[in-house]
Amino acid sequence: MTANFIRALAVKSFDVPDRKRCPDKAEFDLVTVDDHSVARLILAPGWRWSEFAKPAELTAFCEHHHLGYCISGQLDIEMADGGRSTIRANDTYALPPGHDEWVVGDQPFVAVEFLGAASFGRPRSHGMHALI
């Protein structure tokens, strides 16, 4: 197990993100605090990974690791092996690679992710995490 250390005081706002990505039906606001990337995801109703992200990712399933907290909305998850789950407001979640995901209902899915978001929404990332 690796240890994570905070080396310096750092405060940033998603109101002024370091990077912003807006692929179809999605918005990703990224900030870096110390050496850690954190993202706010806003996925619009009707967004589905296999429809909107798969063509850019060039993988059969989402190959990102995700660790996050849902602020609002609902996201359904289906793993490559058929396992399913649902993420709702106030849920924390950990998703391994090999999944599809989609917004359920007429409200956007809004979450903060602490792992897996640095390269999310970047064309042709092949699921690889990026520091830039």
Side-chain angles (χ1 to χ4, degrees):
M1 179 180 243
T2 60
N4 291 312
F5 297 100
I6 303 298
R7 299 172 301 142
L9 174 65
V11 177
K12 291 194 179 173
S13 171
F14 285 122
D15 292 335
V16 186
D18 295 325
R19 292 181 308 272
K20 185 177 204 71
R21 297 187 183 120
C22 296
D24 289 342
K25 290 187 156 279
E27 180 179 325
F28 307 106
D29 297 317
L30 299 134
V31 296
T32 301
V33 287
D34 200 27
D35 285 335
H36 305 279
S37 292
V38 181
R40 175 176 56 189
L41 314 177
I42 303 171
L43 306 175
W47 182 89
R48 185 177 183 125
W49 184 90
S50 56
E51 182 177 344
F52 292 96
K54 182 178 180 175
E57 288 284 332
L58 303 175
T59 57
F61 293 94
C62 179
E63 295 300 331
H64 294 271
H65 298 263
H66 299 275
L67 176 64
Y69 169 76
C70 176
I71 296 168
S72 62
Q74 181 175 321
L75 193 71
D76 278 0
I77 311 298
E78 184 170 8
M79 301 301 298
D81 67 6
R84 294 183 69 133
S85 193
T86 298
I87 301 168
R88 294 181 181 87
N90 296 317
D91 287 346
T92 56
Y93 57 90
L95 304 176
H99 60 272
D100 192 8
E101 53 198 9
W102 58 94
V103 176
V104 176
D106 60 357
Q107 298 296 315
F109 177 79
V110 180
V112 174
E113 291 204 350
F114 304 96
L115 178 67
S119 62
F120 206 59
R122 185 171 49 89
R124 288 180 270 295
S125 67
H126 300 277
M128 299 300 296
H129 301 285
L131 298 177
I132 58 172

Tab-separated table of all heavy atoms in Angstrom, residues 3-7 9-10 15 18 22 26 31 35 45 53 67 77 83 85 90 95 99 104 114-116 123-124 126:
chain	number	residue	atom	x	y	z
A	3	ALA	N	1.665	5.304	0.490
A	3	ALA	CA	1.249	6.368	1.390
A	3	ALA	C	1.100	7.663	0.595
A	3	ALA	O	1.898	7.948	-0.295
A	3	ALA	CB	2.277	6.551	2.500
A	4	ASN	N	0.080	8.411	0.910
A	4	ASN	CA	-0.116	9.722	0.307
A	4	ASN	C	0.192	10.776	1.357
A	4	ASN	O	-0.292	10.694	2.479
A	4	ASN	CB	-1.562	9.898	-0.164
A	4	ASN	CG	-1.869	9.019	-1.346
A	4	ASN	OD1	-1.113	8.987	-2.297
A	4	ASN	ND2	-2.969	8.296	-1.269
A	5	PHE	N	0.989	11.744	0.979
A	5	PHE	CA	1.361	12.796	1.899
A	5	PHE	C	0.950	14.141	1.323
A	5	PHE	O	1.119	14.387	0.135
A	5	PHE	CB	2.874	12.797	2.149
A	5	PHE	CG	3.364	11.544	2.808
A	5	PHE	CD1	3.961	10.546	2.069
A	5	PHE	CD2	3.204	11.359	4.174
A	5	PHE	CE1	4.404	9.383	2.671
A	5	PHE	CE2	3.644	10.196	4.789
A	5	PHE	CZ	4.246	9.207	4.033
A	6	ILE	N	0.447	15.001	2.156
A	6	ILE	CA	0.148	16.374	1.785
A	6	ILE	C	1.358	17.196	2.197
A	6	ILE	O	1.749	17.220	3.358
A	6	ILE	CB	-1.128	16.889	2.497
A	6	ILE	CG1	-2.318	15.982	2.188
A	6	ILE	CG2	-1.392	18.335	2.120
A	6	ILE	CD1	-2.699	15.906	0.730
A	7	ARG	N	1.950	17.874	1.235
A	7	ARG	CA	3.189	18.605	1.492
A	7	ARG	C	2.975	20.083	1.761
A	7	ARG	O	3.833	20.735	2.332
A	7	ARG	CB	4.137	18.461	0.302
A	7	ARG	CG	4.528	17.027	0.026
A	7	ARG	CD	5.292	16.900	-1.271
A	7	ARG	NE	4.431	17.402	-2.350
A	7	ARG	CZ	4.856	18.101	-3.388
A	7	ARG	NH1	6.108	18.388	-3.531
A	7	ARG	NH2	4.015	18.525	-4.297
A	9	LEU	N	-0.138	23.514	2.096
A	9	LEU	CA	-1.506	24.016	2.126
A	9	LEU	C	-1.911	24.400	0.701
A	9	LEU	O	-1.162	25.065	-0.003
A	9	LEU	CB	-1.599	25.241	3.031
A	9	LEU	CG	-2.941	25.970	3.057
A	9	LEU	CD1	-4.020	25.071	3.649
A	9	LEU	CD2	-2.817	27.257	3.845
A	10	ALA	N	-3.088	23.954	0.272
A	10	ALA	CA	-3.574	24.289	-1.068
A	10	ALA	C	-5.091	24.351	-1.039
A	10	ALA	O	-5.744	23.441	-0.532
A	10	ALA	CB	-3.114	23.238	-2.075
A	15	ASP	N	-14.998	26.911	-9.128
A	15	ASP	CA	-15.478	28.088	-9.862
A	15	ASP	C	-14.408	28.630	-10.813
A	15	ASP	O	-14.719	29.305	-11.787
A	15	ASP	CB	-15.911	29.197	-8.902
A	15	ASP	CG	-17.152	28.817	-8.114
A	15	ASP	OD1	-17.944	27.978	-8.596
A	15	ASP	OD2	-17.319	29.356	-7.003
A	18	ASP	N	-8.462	24.637	-12.882
A	18	ASP	CA	-7.202	24.659	-13.627
A	18	ASP	C	-7.434	24.249	-15.079
A	18	ASP	O	-6.794	24.759	-15.989
A	18	ASP	CB	-6.180	23.702	-12.995
A	18	ASP	CG	-5.774	24.136	-11.608
A	18	ASP	OD1	-5.691	25.360	-11.358
A	18	ASP	OD2	-5.553	23.249	-10.758
A	22	CYS	N	-15.279	19.839	-21.852
A	22	CYS	CA	-16.719	19.781	-22.102
A	22	CYS	C	-17.025	18.890	-23.309
A	22	CYS	O	-17.484	19.380	-24.347
A	22	CYS	CB	-17.274	21.185	-22.325
A	22	CYS	SG	-17.132	22.258	-20.890
A	26	ALA	N	-21.351	16.465	-21.170
A	26	ALA	CA	-20.572	16.329	-19.938
A	26	ALA	C	-19.731	17.584	-19.714
A	26	ALA	O	-19.409	18.312	-20.647
A	26	ALA	CB	-19.666	15.106	-20.016
A	31	VAL	N	-9.116	20.519	-10.800
A	31	VAL	CA	-8.179	21.314	-10.019
A	31	VAL	C	-7.080	20.388	-9.505
A	31	VAL	O	-7.300	19.194	-9.329
A	31	VAL	CB	-8.856	22.053	-8.835
A	31	VAL	CG1	-9.868	23.068	-9.338
A	31	VAL	CG2	-9.479	21.097	-7.858
A	35	ASP	N	-0.191	17.624	-5.069
A	35	ASP	CA	0.020	16.762	-6.239
A	35	ASP	C	-1.219	15.951	-6.596
A	35	ASP	O	-1.124	14.963	-7.323
A	35	ASP	CB	1.167	15.778	-5.974
A	35	ASP	CG	2.529	16.436	-6.035
A	35	ASP	OD1	2.652	17.472	-6.718
A	35	ASP	OD2	3.471	15.914	-5.418
A	45	PRO	N	-28.539	14.600	-18.337
A	45	PRO	CA	-29.499	13.511	-18.584
A	45	PRO	C	-29.301	12.964	-19.999
A	45	PRO	O	-29.069	13.722	-20.942
A	45	PRO	CB	-30.856	14.205	-18.437
A	45	PRO	CG	-30.587	15.355	-17.523
A	45	PRO	CD	-29.201	15.821	-17.876
A	53	ALA	N	-18.528	8.584	-24.634
A	53	ALA	CA	-17.090	8.564	-24.345
A	53	ALA	C	-16.349	7.451	-25.080
A	53	ALA	O	-15.186	7.618	-25.430
A	53	ALA	CB	-16.857	8.431	-22.841
A	67	LEU	N	-12.946	7.031	-7.782
A	67	LEU	CA	-13.219	7.133	-6.361
A	67	LEU	C	-13.873	8.489	-6.175
A	67	LEU	O	-13.264	9.520	-6.487
A	67	LEU	CB	-11.927	7.052	-5.543
A	67	LEU	CG	-12.082	7.243	-4.035
A	67	LEU	CD1	-12.917	6.112	-3.433
A	67	LEU	CD2	-10.716	7.316	-3.381
A	77	ILE	N	-24.436	1.723	-13.086
A	77	ILE	CA	-23.166	1.132	-13.480
A	77	ILE	C	-23.410	-0.317	-13.864
A	77	ILE	O	-24.128	-1.034	-13.159
A	77	ILE	CB	-22.150	1.133	-12.303
A	77	ILE	CG1	-22.054	2.503	-11.638
A	77	ILE	CG2	-20.794	0.601	-12.739
A	77	ILE	CD1	-21.579	3.606	-12.524
A	83	GLY	N	-22.168	-7.446	-13.385
A	83	GLY	CA	-22.535	-6.877	-12.086
A	83	GLY	C	-23.059	-5.460	-12.261
A	83	GLY	O	-22.594	-4.725	-13.129
A	85	SER	N	-24.807	-1.750	-10.282
A	85	SER	CA	-25.022	-0.955	-9.080
A	85	SER	C	-25.551	0.409	-9.487
A	85	SER	O	-25.522	0.773	-10.665
A	85	SER	CB	-23.727	-0.813	-8.270
A	85	SER	OG	-24.013	-0.297	-6.990
A	90	ASN	N	-25.297	11.559	-2.063
A	90	ASN	CA	-24.684	11.232	-0.774
A	90	ASN	C	-24.006	9.871	-0.733
A	90	ASN	O	-23.549	9.458	0.329
A	90	ASN	CB	-25.673	11.392	0.388
A	90	ASN	CG	-26.104	12.828	0.546
A	90	ASN	OD1	-25.273	13.731	0.469
A	90	ASN	ND2	-27.382	13.053	0.721
A	95	LEU	N	-15.105	2.538	-8.314
A	95	LEU	CA	-15.382	1.740	-9.499
A	95	LEU	C	-14.073	1.266	-10.103
A	95	LEU	O	-13.204	2.082	-10.412
A	95	LEU	CB	-16.126	2.562	-10.564
A	95	LEU	CG	-17.439	3.217	-10.168
A	95	LEU	CD1	-17.965	4.062	-11.316
A	95	LEU	CD2	-18.439	2.158	-9.777
A	99	HIS	N	-16.214	-1.001	-16.997
A	99	HIS	CA	-17.616	-0.719	-16.715
A	99	HIS	C	-18.203	0.228	-17.756
A	99	HIS	O	-17.489	0.936	-18.453
A	99	HIS	CB	-17.787	-0.106	-15.317
A	99	HIS	CG	-17.052	1.182	-15.131
A	99	HIS	ND1	-15.741	1.225	-14.706
A	99	HIS	CD2	-17.416	2.464	-15.328
A	99	HIS	CE1	-15.343	2.477	-14.637
A	99	HIS	NE2	-16.355	3.262	-15.021
A	104	VAL	N	-29.395	8.328	-15.058
A	104	VAL	CA	-30.781	7.883	-14.980
A	104	VAL	C	-31.657	9.079	-14.612
A	104	VAL	O	-31.307	9.845	-13.712
A	104	VAL	CB	-30.939	6.766	-13.921
A	104	VAL	CG1	-32.395	6.373	-13.767
A	104	VAL	CG2	-30.080	5.566	-14.294
A	114	PHE	N	-11.929	11.851	-6.796
A	114	PHE	CA	-10.588	12.002	-6.251
A	114	PHE	C	-9.591	11.089	-6.935
A	114	PHE	O	-8.396	11.189	-6.710
A	114	PHE	CB	-10.610	11.718	-4.743
A	114	PHE	CG	-11.603	12.591	-4.024
A	114	PHE	CD1	-12.880	12.139	-3.752
A	114	PHE	CD2	-11.259	13.881	-3.654
A	114	PHE	CE1	-13.800	12.949	-3.118
A	114	PHE	CE2	-12.174	14.701	-3.020
A	114	PHE	CZ	-13.451	14.236	-2.746
A	115	LEU	N	-10.086	10.172	-7.757
A	115	LEU	CA	-9.231	9.250	-8.499
A	115	LEU	C	-9.912	8.967	-9.819
A	115	LEU	O	-11.120	8.735	-9.866
A	115	LEU	CB	-9.047	7.942	-7.710
A	115	LEU	CG	-8.214	6.848	-8.361
A	115	LEU	CD1	-6.754	7.292	-8.472
A	115	LEU	CD2	-8.299	5.562	-7.547
A	116	GLY	N	-9.164	9.007	-10.889
A	116	GLY	CA	-9.697	8.614	-12.181
A	116	GLY	C	-10.180	9.744	-13.046
A	116	GLY	O	-10.548	9.527	-14.193
A	123	PRO	N	-9.698	13.274	-25.194
A	123	PRO	CA	-9.783	12.349	-26.334
A	123	PRO	C	-8.646	11.341	-26.359
A	123	PRO	O	-7.507	11.665	-26.041
A	123	PRO	CB	-9.706	13.263	-27.549
A	123	PRO	CG	-10.171	14.588	-27.047
A	123	PRO	CD	-9.709	14.656	-25.610
A	124	ARG	N	-8.998	10.111	-26.706
A	124	ARG	CA	-8.064	9.005	-26.900
A	124	ARG	C	-7.128	8.775	-25.723
A	124	ARG	O	-5.936	8.575	-25.889
A	124	ARG	CB	-7.282	9.201	-28.195
A	124	ARG	CG	-8.146	8.973	-29.414
A	124	ARG	CD	-7.398	9.169	-30.678
A	124	ARG	NE	-7.442	10.527	-31.183
A	124	ARG	CZ	-8.516	11.165	-31.608
A	124	ARG	NH1	-9.664	10.605	-31.564
A	124	ARG	NH2	-8.433	12.388	-32.083
A	126	HIS	N	-7.406	6.213	-23.807
A	126	HIS	CA	-7.286	4.751	-23.666
A	126	HIS	C	-7.356	4.343	-22.198
A	126	HIS	O	-6.769	3.344	-21.787
A	126	HIS	CB	-5.985	4.228	-24.273
A	126	HIS	CG	-5.840	4.519	-25.727
A	126	HIS	ND1	-6.403	3.738	-26.704
A	126	HIS	CD2	-5.237	5.544	-26.373
A	126	HIS	CE1	-6.132	4.248	-27.882
A	126	HIS	NE2	-5.434	5.346	-27.711
